[in-house]
């Protein structure tokens, strides 16, 4: 069941045909993934996460991303890592269970993809709230209030 609830693919945000970043979400977190140039170490990167804003780049260059987030996060529980040439920013949602339509404000998913994410997160929420029950065959046709 857990495999079915995990994000199956990352959403891509592209600009001029180039992937700027990829992202996915769980019931608690939004994860952003950015490929960095070869040889770049964590010491060269700067990342600033505030409640509703994300700014990161490579010193001494201007920020690669300096944008508002789609929703608020818990700054004290959010963090970043650099592994195998990928900057991974983990943002802990302020409102657990909230479905984000995008990681960065203004970079929205198409409605079909957003609905699929919402259904997957509802399954994850129900599984968490009712361990031992199998919701793998459940379907949803409406909104469920936030927990």
């Amino acid at each position: 069941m857990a495999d079915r609830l995990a994000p199956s693919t990352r959403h891509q945000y592209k600009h001029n045909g180039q992937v700027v970043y990829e992202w996915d979400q769980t019931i608690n977190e939004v994860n952003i993934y950015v490929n960095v140039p070869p040889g770049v170490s964590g010491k060269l990167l700067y990342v600033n996460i505030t409640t509703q804003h994300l700014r990161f780049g490579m010193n001494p260059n201007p920020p690669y991303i300096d944008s508002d987030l789609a929703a608020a996060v818990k700054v004290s529980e959010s963090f970043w890592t650099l592994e195998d040439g990928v900057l991974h920013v983990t943002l802990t949602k302020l409102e657990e269970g909230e479905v984000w339509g995008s990681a960065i404000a203004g970079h929205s998913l198409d409605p079909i993809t957003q609905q699929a994410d919402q259904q997957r997160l509802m399954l994850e929420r129900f599984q968490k709230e009712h361990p031992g029950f199998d919701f793998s065959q459940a379907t949803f046709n409406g909104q469920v209030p936030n927990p």
Side-chain angles (χ1 to χ4, degrees), residues 92-109:
T92 302
K93 295 177 178 178
L94 184 63
E95 297 292 331
E96 182 179 327
E98 180 179 14
V99 180
W100 287 25
S102 65
I104 304 294
H107 298 175
S108 296
L109 295 172

Side-chain angles (χ1 to χ4, degrees), residues 103-124:
I104 304 294
H107 298 175
S108 296
L109 295 172
D110 64 84
I112 292 171
T113 304
Q114 190 170 353
Q115 183 178 16
D117 251 15
Q118 183 174 4
Q119 289 179 351
R120 182 183 52 78
L121 292 176
M122 278 194 262
L123 281 172
E124 182 181 346

Side-chain angles (χ1 to χ4, degrees), residues 115 118-120 122-123 126 137-144:
Q115 183 178 16
Q118 183 174 4
Q119 289 179 351
R120 182 183 52 78
M122 278 194 262
L123 281 172
F126 289 149
Q137 301 301 316
T139 58
F140 299 95
N141 58 6
Q143 295 276 341
V144 174

Side-chain angles (χ1 to χ4, degrees), residues 4-86:
R4 184 164 187 257
L5 298 178
S8 57
T9 59
R10 293 179 183 171
H11 308 297
Q12 293 184 335
Y13 175 72
K14 294 182 179 181
H15 180 72
N16 292 334
Q18 300 267 138
V19 175
V20 176
Y21 65 89
E22 295 179 311
W23 72 281
D24 60 31
Q25 66 181 313
T26 67
I27 196 167
N28 300 317
E29 298 174 340
V30 170
N31 299 291
I32 299 175
Y33 310 91
V34 179
N35 292 323
V36 299
V40 171
S41 69
K43 292 180 182 180
L44 291 175
L45 297 175
Y46 59 89
V47 180
N48 183 21
I49 302 167
T50 64
T51 305
Q52 294 203 267
H53 197 85
L54 176 64
R55 182 176 184 261
F56 65 82
M58 200 168 60
N59 286 318
N61 300 319
Y64 181 71
I65 289 184
D66 189 0
S67 300
D68 287 339
L69 297 168
V73 300
K74 296 177 184 175
V75 176
S76 64
E77 297 178 25
S78 300
F79 60 94
W80 65 274
T81 60
L82 178 64
E83 187 174 339
D84 297 328
V86 178

